[in-house]
Amino acid sequence: MALQLIPDPSLAERTTLRLGGHAEVEAVVRDAADLDELGTFLTRQTLRPFVIGRGSNLLARDGRCDLALIRVADTPGPVRVERTGERLTVRCGAALGLPGLLGWAQRAGMTGLEGLTGIPGTVGGAVAMNAGSYGVEFGQRVSRVRLWSPAGGLTWVDADRCVFSYRHFSAPDLPAGRLVWEVELLLDESSPSAVRRAMREVYDKKRATQPVTARSAGCVFKNPEGDSAGRLLDRAGMKGMRRGHMAFSDMHANFLINLGGGTSAQALELIELGREAVKTRFGVTLEMEVIVL
Ligand code: EPU
């Protein structure tokens, strides 16, 4: 299938915060053959490439962005490829939603990912950000990742050649500008009912402490060493703080919420306000977790 190029893609429509103007173009990749065309396309233009999944960790600026979005679509679903004792190797394409992968693992009675219940991104995004919650990080279960770059094409990289740390992934031996294409995970055998129970527990905990159904991009700031950005923002008076139609959640202060009709300018103003308040009150400089486009 030919590489699809969509002009003027709306960033608001492609991000869970529903903010932002338009990028210049979006290249939609459907199979490995499209990657060759993508390589040619990228070398012929000067826009900044940015790989977008479900946009659940992004804050896109208002107005135009000089970006070429790259989106992988129609990815192969998860398949079991190998068993070693009670460990199962599962392979899955990057564009699959993380909730879809977790649902599949639950039905197949495979344990290891339950802590990630309620995270809305793609499998590729979960690699790229090393998504984590409730003591589980995606990278802990990765055995190898298939990466693509214009210079190197598709390459499998074993987990021991990857760096997975707090909300960070890199593959130092490979050229920059990579796209996550596929991943293999090591999961353990369990039963569908036990996995369902564990997922339910995580989701109930999450729903009680995080605004899971609001338009947000998850936690805005990374947690500083040994503390919680949400706790610091809360103590600094940011819970419920509002600018226009954007607000810090009154449930969890590290979530920015689009109340409907919010703008990126309002979001960025709140981010600065929160950062300054925490710096003044606690002497801690918060770092962004959400990526600003
Ligand atoms: N807290 C407050 N006020 C708030 C928010 C939190 O006092 O407004 C307190 C809580 O009472 C608790 C502590 O801060 O004592 C920690 O809060 P929570 O358990 O909600 O965890 P967190 O540190 O705020 C992290 C991750 C979440 C992840 C949860 C659960 C980061 C930045 N956040 O939140 O990840 O879901 O733990 O494991 O690492 C994300 O990355 O987008 C995200 C939501």
Side-chain angles (χ1 to χ4, degrees), residues 147-160:
L147 300 171
W148 177 86
S149 69
L154 280 171
T155 322
W156 280 106
V157 187
D158 287 338
D160 60 8

Side-chain angles (χ1 to χ4, degrees), residues 54-113:
R54 295 197 176 174
S56 57
N57 201 40
L58 300 178
L59 196 176
R61 289 181 195 275
D62 305 320
R64 284 205 85 79
C65 289
D66 63 340
L67 289 174
L69 303 178
I70 300 165
R71 184 161 54 86
V72 181
D74 301 344
T75 212
V79 284
R80 209 180 92 174
V81 289
E82 203 180 32
R83 167 192 286 277
T84 318
E86 291 188 351
R87 297 218 110 178
L88 304 159
T89 302
V90 168
R91 185 181 299 164
C92 148
L96 182 76
L98 195 57
L101 172 63
L102 265 67
W104 179 88
Q106 181 274 317
R107 289 187 296 279
M110 295 184 195
T111 181
L113 298 172

Side-chain angles (χ1 to χ4, degrees), residues 56-57 115 119 131-136 166-167 206 209-210 217-224 227-235 239 249-255 289-290:
S56 57
N57 201 40
I119 298 182
S133 66
Y134 300 108
V136 175
Y166 174 58
R167 302 295 190 271
K206 195 163 265 196
T209 53
Q210 298 181 10
C219 284
V220 175
F221 297 106
K222 291 184 184 175
N223 281 345
D227 209 335
S228 157
R231 191 189 76 83
L232 296 175
L233 288 159
D234 186 358
R235 298 292 180 278
K239 217 175 214 178
S249 163
D250 47 22
M251 190 174 203
H252 191 301
N254 199 13
F255 281 69
E289 174 179 322
V290 161

Side-chain angles (χ1 to χ4, degrees), residues 115-239:
L116 306 176
T117 305
I119 298 182
T122 59
V123 166
V127 172
M129 286 302 296
N130 189 19
S133 66
Y134 300 108
V136 175
E137 288 189 344
F138 198 71
Q140 292 164 344
R141 291 287 169 169
V142 169
S143 59
R144 55 180 192 153
V145 188
R146 199 169 184 207
L147 300 171
W148 177 86
S149 69
L154 280 171
T155 322
W156 280 106
V157 187
D158 287 338
D160 60 8
R161 286 172 56 216
C162 298
V163 179
F164 284 104
S165 55
Y166 174 58
R167 302 295 190 271
H168 168 90
F169 162 74
S170 57
D173 306 345
L174 265 80
R178 296 166 314 263
L179 172 148
V180 180
W181 183 248
E182 232 176 334
V183 64
E184 279 186 3
L185 304 162
L186 273 175
L187 301 178
D188 293 300
E189 201 161 33
S190 175
S191 71
S193 57
V195 178
R196 188 187 305 112
R197 222 171 16 252
M199 287 173 72
R200 185 83 244 168
E201 259 172 46
V202 168
Y203 191 68
D204 286 347
K205 215 176 337 170
K206 195 163 265 196
R207 212 175 37 170
T209 53
Q210 298 181 10
V212 289
T213 55
R215 290 189 205 103
S216 87
C219 284
V220 175
F221 297 106
K222 291 184 184 175
N223 281 345
E225 186 85 42
D227 209 335
S228 157
R231 191 189 76 83
L232 296 175
L233 288 159
D234 186 358
R235 298 292 180 278
M238 287 297 120
K239 217 175 214 178

